[in-house]
Amino acid sequence: QVQLVQSGAEVKKPGASVKVSCKASGYSFTDYYLDWVRQAPGQGLEWMGRINPDNGGTNYAQKFQGRVTMTRDTSISTVYMDLSRLRSDDTAVYYCALGESWFDPWGQGTLVTVSS
Amino acid sequence: DIQMTQSPSSVSASVGDRVTLTCRASQDISRWLAWYQQNPGKAPKLLIYAASSLQSGVPSRFSGSGSGTDFTLTISSLQPEDFATYYCQQANSFPRTFGQGTKVEIK
């Protein structure tokens, strides 16, 4: 079955960067976009951007332009989301999710805590 | 950006109740709308896509309707496992945007 497995929780200091991975299995990796969505504690869902695993093309939300980089490694069916210049309000669970328009399935989520 | 507004923000209901949740888009999104269910500490789960198509494996008590700017998610007979938070999401344009969520609580 289609599965997305994300890397483990991270604790970072303000100003640092974090790189979260999402390993895909159960389908042809290059056939579908992978998106990243985050959720701050007790808050709603926020779309960050997407990557085309076939050609590496990306589309980022304006809010994250300049701070986020999404990449992929087709040899291991894994996408990465790198967020730099972390602030306390970047504390959130970060999800990868599969889809063209709607998202299914989702990874299990990765908690990133930004704290001094 | 397209703003998605859900109402109510929370609803209290009993097992067996019929519950209707609403999502309004700030501009016409045709039928480019999905609904998700999220339980605490879990990833969202896709319920409905293209406004009214039931995702495989989702119980038939869930249904979606609407087009343009106004959409509804209906749970025909609420079950204990349905107490959760529900989000709508537009897929008409980028950036993808979500509603703020509706929490369905036990009365």
Side-chain angles (χ1 to χ4, degrees), chain A residues 21-78:
Chain A
S21 68
C22 171
K23 182 172 176 61
S25 61
Y27 71 100
S28 178
F29 178 66
T30 54
D31 282 358
Y32 299 98
Y33 285 92
L34 276 158
D35 292 54
W36 289 90
V37 176
R38 76 176 186 180
Q39 186 171 38
Q43 302 302 307
L45 301 165
E46 181 175 35
W47 183 80
M48 299 180 67
R50 62 169 21 183
I51 183 167
N52 180 340
D54 187 30
N55 59 20
T58 55
N59 181 351
Y60 302 142
Q62 180 84 10
K63 175 177 179 176
F64 300 101
Q65 287 274 4
R67 280 210 305 145
V68 71
T69 304
M70 296 176 187
T71 56
R72 93 290 193 212
D73 184 338
T74 55
S75 68
I76 55 172
S77 300
T78 299

Side-chain angles (χ1 to χ4, degrees), chain B residues 3-71:
Chain B
Q3 306 303 314
M4 306 300 292
T5 304
Q6 291 185 240
S7 61
S9 56
S10 67
V11 59
S12 294
S14 301
V15 172
D17 284 354
R18 180 182 182 89
V19 174
T20 298
L21 312 182
T22 296
C23 177
R24 174 164 288 175
S26 61
Q27 63 189 72
D28 188 340
I29 60 169
S30 186
R31 296 178 62 80
W32 292 100
L33 185 100
W35 289 96
Y36 301 88
Q37 176 192 64
Q38 188 178 33
N39 290 111
K42 300 293 187 183
K45 172 188 172 184
L46 178 66
L47 299 176
I48 301 284
Y49 63 93
S52 63
S53 295
L54 192 68
Q55 176 68 348
S56 176
V58 174
S60 59
R61 62 181 180 272
F62 291 93
S63 63
S65 65
S67 66
T69 60
D70 293 317
F71 301 86

Side-chain angles (χ1 to χ4, degrees), chain A residues 39 47 95 100-101 103-104, chain B residues 36 38 42 55 89 96:
Chain A
Q39 186 171 38
W47 183 80
Y95 294 103
E100 300 295 315
S101 302
F103 308 127
D104 180 70
Chain B
Y36 301 88
Q38 188 178 33
K42 300 293 187 183
Q55 176 68 348
Q89 174 239 323
R96 304 301 196 215

